[in-house]
């Protein structure tokens, strides 16, 4: 083992634990990053040292995940629950009758999605979702990106093989950031952090998961040889091995102590940076647990006490309609200010026309507002007993409040849209503000107010106009002197160096967020290629489904967008991805390969990595774009059939090894052992738009 790699891995694992579990970092971010860069560099140079639990896997990978179903070795039971303190006392009394000296452990009930982590010889082997309790999805690659989940355990005394169970959740800060980003690209925001966590855990691309800021608490140990005979002691041991165990647990011996814990936790709840929906009360001793047993679904030794959602009743004064950059209309309620869960609420989301109709919300009504993990609360109901007899059903607007255009409704979507994208002021300003934003072109010296001013003054109408601006035009404008005018021009000019994937994001194509833009840029390499891509070709891009593909095709089908892009290209923006040089060789250069089944010498992830390193492309499904199907044991019959139909060459693991060990591309294995060829290869690659200009 390369000594420096080992040292760096150990040091980074330790610093990671100090930072994410202990919240007590010992080194600066700068030092940490430098160590990580060095490790990545060394791992690249020494692929034989590959380790799926290296701290470098925390950033995730762009390779498409496939979630296999895995049977749980120990079933994942659920919990009985109650909203009533009375029922809870009954639960405790019954147990105390049977076991007078019983000890309870009270814990927060984290509101996320359950996970089971299996460790073998102190290393993370697998992470599986609860699924139906008997079997779940293998989401290991995604869970490895959660910084607080230990990949390699610390200390000693852990069993050779055991499971830690817990909850993956999305902290409020990550949730707010994610939803703001989604709304920015016209994507439906997640309803709450729980849905966001569950959705994120199922993403195909673990590098996106890594950016979403998930976290995880562990609250349960399962195995045949656990070190202690009580839950509390085992969780304390788990803490010493590097697991993130909540500091908010209590050992309780009587009802008073349990009630006090519930009360304290309710008070603490508002300040927590994550959602909890109650507390869990568990019997501490395993011997006692065995005595109490379980039903088919849930243990008799634990119960969840759930908090009722916090609500406030207040008056709805009026409704504003906001127009986003994509033209989407969002109704926002103006309320009589009311105190709710530690803050004063004045505004609440009403989502869309359907929601208003469903709740039959009317102006002047007394409405219930609830707070989830989001900053802006929502209206969840109407107090009909307080409705005025004169109240009238709410009439949704038919025309844009900003430009007067008649609103449209896109089939299958809940929101209304203003179709006047060319001339509706908030849409024009919104697109430009998105274009200049930090993650897009990062034109720092311009802000929303200045953009509004420039649009109002008629100096710009679209993003391409920015590149025609001259300092002389800006100097006379209010609040802009010579200096700021020069700064603005300078940063606009500087933005011409922004890489292609960010330019693509900056264009503001609906649903094309930062990560989709990255995927598209890597997959197509240039705007020219993307612009002429067919639906089928677009669908080959990881994370791109029908909706995104259709939107992109639709975007480039519009003359005005092609002209806009052409003008940006003429201004000198980057419309080509930097060439990704393959690390090891070009033996697979340009070849599209699909992996299916399991293999003897390499894991699927390793094979995917090798394909990329040798210049090939990983494809998730067999199509006419596929050159080879790399077939292992138990491969999917559908893939095999499709490959046979299309005449795709089928190769084995050793064929593949031969291909990459060949000295040059000339030595490619042209005649693999198992080759299937069928005559009627259907070409799905109908040339799209040869007539489109090629300035790029
Ligand atoms: S213990 C056999 N402890 O609540 C008991 N569960 O409604 C296993 N949950 O599926 C669960 N916080 O996802 C336990 N401190 C905690 C928990 C907790 C949240 C979740 C868990 C479970 C669900 C049941």
């Amino acid at each position: 083992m390369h000594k420096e790699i080992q040292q760096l891995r150990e040091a980074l694992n330790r610093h990671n634990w100090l930072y994410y579990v202990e919240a007590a970092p010992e080194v600066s971010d700068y030092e940490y990053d430098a160590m990580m860069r060095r490790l990545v560099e060394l791992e690249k140079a020494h692929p034989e040292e590959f380790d799926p639990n290296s701290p470098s896997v925390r950033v995730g990978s762009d390779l498409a995940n496939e979630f296999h179903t895995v049977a749980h070795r120990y079933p994942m039971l659920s919990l009985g629950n109650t909203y009533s303190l009375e029922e809870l006392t009954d639960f405790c009394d019954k147990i105390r009758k049977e076991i007078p000296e019983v000890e309870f452990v009270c814990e927060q009930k984290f509101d996320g999605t359950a996970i089971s982590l299996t460790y073998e010889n102190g290393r993370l082997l697998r992470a599986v979702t609860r699924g139906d309790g008997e079997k779940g999805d293998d989401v290991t690659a995604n869970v490895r990106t959660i910084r607080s989940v230990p990949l390699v355990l610390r200390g000693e005394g852990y069993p050779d093989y055991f499971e830690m169970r817990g909850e993956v959740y999305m902290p409020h800060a990550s949730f707010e950031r994610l939803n703001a980003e989604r709304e920015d690209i016209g994507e439906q925001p997640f309803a709450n952090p729980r849905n966001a966590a569950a959705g994120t855990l199922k993403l195909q691309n673990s590098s996106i998961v890594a950016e979403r800021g998930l976290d995880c608490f562990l609250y349960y140990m399962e195995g045949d040889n656990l070190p202690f005979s009580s839950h509390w002691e085992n969780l304390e041991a788990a803490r010493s091995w590097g697991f993130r165990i909540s500091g908010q647990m209590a050992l309780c011996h009587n009802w008073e102590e349990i009630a006090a814990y519930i009360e304290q936790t309710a008070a603490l709840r508002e300040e927590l940076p994550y959602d909890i929906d109650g507390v869990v009360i568990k019997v501490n001793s395993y011997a006692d647990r065995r005595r109490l047993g379980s039903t088919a679904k849930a243990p008799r030794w634990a119960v969840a006490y759930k908090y009722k959602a916090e609500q406030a009743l207040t008056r709805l004064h009026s409704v504003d309609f906001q127009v986003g950059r994509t033209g989407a209309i969002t109704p926002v309620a103006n309320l009589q200010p009311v105190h709710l869960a530690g803050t004063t609420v004045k505004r609440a989301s009403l989502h869309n026309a359907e929601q208003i109709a469903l709740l039959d919300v009317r102006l002047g009504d007394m409405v219930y507002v609830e707070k989830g993990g989001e900053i802006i609360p929502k209206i969840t109901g109407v107090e009909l007993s307080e409705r005025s007899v004169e109240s009238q059903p709410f009439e949704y607007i038919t025309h844009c409040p900003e430009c007067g255009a008649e609103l449209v409704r896109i089939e299958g979507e809940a929101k209304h849209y203003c179709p006047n994208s060319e001339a509706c002021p908030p849409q024009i300003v919104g697109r430009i503000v998105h274009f200049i934003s930090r993650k897009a072109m990062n034109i720092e010296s311009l802000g929303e107010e200045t953009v509004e001013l420039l649009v109002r003054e008629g100096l710009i109408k679209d993003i391409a106009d920015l590149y025609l601006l001259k300092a002389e035009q800006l100097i006379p404008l209010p609040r802009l002197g010579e200096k700021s005018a020069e700064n603005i021009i300078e940063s606009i000019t500087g933005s011409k160096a922004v890489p292609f994937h960010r330019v693509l994001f900056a264009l503001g194509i609906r649903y094309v967020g930062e990560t989709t833009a990255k995927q598209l840029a890597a997959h197509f390499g240039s705007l020219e290629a993307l612009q002429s891509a067919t639906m089928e070709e677009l669908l080959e891009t990881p994370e791109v489904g029908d909706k995104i593909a259709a939107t992109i095709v639709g975007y480039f089908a519009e003359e005005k967008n092609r002209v806009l892009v052409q003008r940006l290209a003429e201004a000198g923006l980057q419309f080509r991805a930097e060439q990704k040089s393959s690390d090891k060789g070009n033996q697979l250069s340009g070849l599209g390969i699909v992996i299916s089944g399991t293999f003897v010498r390499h894991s699927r992830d390793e094979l995917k990595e090798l394909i990329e390193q040798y210049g090939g492309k990983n494809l998730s499904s067999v199509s006419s774009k596929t050159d080879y199907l790399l077939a292992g044991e138990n491969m999917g019959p559908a893939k095999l059939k499709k490959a046979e139909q299309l005449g795709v060459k089928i190769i084995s693991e050793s064929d593949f090894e031969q291909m990459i060990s060949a000295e040059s591309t000339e030595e490619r294995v042209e005649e693999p052992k198992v080759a299937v060829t069928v005559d009627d290869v259907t070409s799905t690659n109908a040339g799209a738009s040869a007539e489109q200009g090629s300035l790029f």
Side-chain angles (χ1 to χ4, degrees), residues 204 511 516 520 535-536 538-553:
Q204 279 202 324
Y511 307 131
T516 306
L520 289 166
M535 274 295 280
E536 233 219 0
L538 284 161
L539 289 170
E540 291 283 1
T541 317
E543 303 294 324
V544 171
D546 288 338
K547 189 174 77 175
I548 300 180
T551 311
I552 295 170
V553 169

Side-chain angles (χ1 to χ4, degrees), residues 130-192:
R130 178 169 183 276
D132 62 4
E134 296 289 332
K135 48 190 183 332
D137 285 329
D138 183 332
V139 289
T140 315
N142 287 346
V143 168
R144 283 204 173 103
T145 70
I146 303 176
R147 306 297 207 272
S148 59
V149 169
L151 303 175
V152 177
L153 300 185
R154 315 172 48 74
E156 52 203 37
Y158 42 79
D160 294 346
Y161 187 98
F162 71 108
E163 286 182 27
M164 282 304 290
R165 296 195 173 158
E167 201 85 350
V168 170
Y169 67 91
M170 189 170 281
H172 292 156
S174 309
F175 177 71
E176 292 296 339
R177 193 184 58 217
L178 174 62
N179 264 359
E181 284 169 9
R182 286 173 77 87
E183 288 192 73
D184 180 47
I185 60 163
E187 188 78 78
Q188 184 75 10
F190 283 108
N192 53 50

Side-chain angles (χ1 to χ4, degrees), residues 267-285:
L268 192 68
R269 189 176 174 203
E270 315 313 337
E271 286 152 37
L272 293 174
Y274 50 85
D275 274 2
I276 59 169
D277 58 342
V279 300
V280 182
I281 296 107
K282 303 174 181 171
V283 167
N284 189 25
S285 137

Side-chain angles (χ1 to χ4, degrees), residues 263-465:
E263 208 169 299
Q264 278 160 20
T265 307
L268 192 68
R269 189 176 174 203
E270 315 313 337
E271 286 152 37
L272 293 174
Y274 50 85
D275 274 2
I276 59 169
D277 58 342
V279 300
V280 182
I281 296 107
K282 303 174 181 171
V283 167
N284 189 25
S285 137
Y286 292 157
D288 292 349
R289 286 185 181 188
R290 277 192 295 275
R291 214 166 129 183
L292 294 160
S294 299
T295 67
K297 278 196 187 146
R300 287 203 182 84
W301 44 260
V303 72
Y305 170 74
K306 303 235 284 188
Y307 295 121
K308 289 186 200 90
E310 274 198 69
Q311 283 190 332
L313 191 61
T314 190
R315 191 159 313 276
L316 169 65
H317 288 315
S318 61
V319 177
D320 287 340
F321 294 90
Q322 293 174 346
V323 185
R325 111 177 127 79
T326 56
I329 309 287
T330 305
V332 178
N334 293 311
L335 307 166
Q336 177 68 31
V338 65
H339 199 71
L340 173 65
T343 52
T344 303
V345 173
K346 294 191 203 101
R347 284 160 76 76
S349 173
L350 275 162
H351 302 294
N352 52 53
E354 232 163 63
Q355 181 76 3
I356 296 177
L358 202 72
L359 298 170
D360 185 21
V361 178
R362 303 179 181 193
L363 294 180
D365 271 350
M366 288 301 281
V367 293
Y368 289 99
V369 277
E370 262 180 38
K371 238 172 143 185
E374 50 281 86
I375 290 174
I376 178 146
K378 44 183 171 249
I379 292 185
T380 54
V382 175
E383 183 49 62
L384 291 174
S385 66
E386 301 216 23
R387 175 171 280 173
S388 144
V389 283
E390 276 130 46
S391 88
Q392 294 294 321
F394 190 86
E395 275 185 41
Y396 205 76
I397 50 168
T398 52
H399 290 76
C400 176
E402 299 284 344
C403 73
E406 192 172 351
L407 301 182
V408 294
R409 196 86 187 262
I410 302 171
E411 216 188 293
E413 295 209 12
K415 288 205 165 180
H416 284 70
Y417 284 86
C418 166
N420 185 18
S421 60
E422 291 295 277
C424 180
Q427 294 189 57
I428 298 173
V429 171
R431 281 194 297 269
I432 301 172
V433 168
H434 168 78
F435 183 79
I436 63 171
S437 65
R438 198 172 53 81
K439 289 179 169 177
M441 303 305 281
N442 194 22
I443 303 179
E444 269 184 319
S445 54
L446 272 181
E448 185 162 351
E449 272 180 40
T450 318
V451 170
E452 273 171 10
L453 178 70
L454 296 179
V455 171
R456 217 172 30 241
E457 294 289 324
L459 290 176
I460 52 173
K461 290 186 306 306
D462 59 34
I463 52 180
D465 286 345

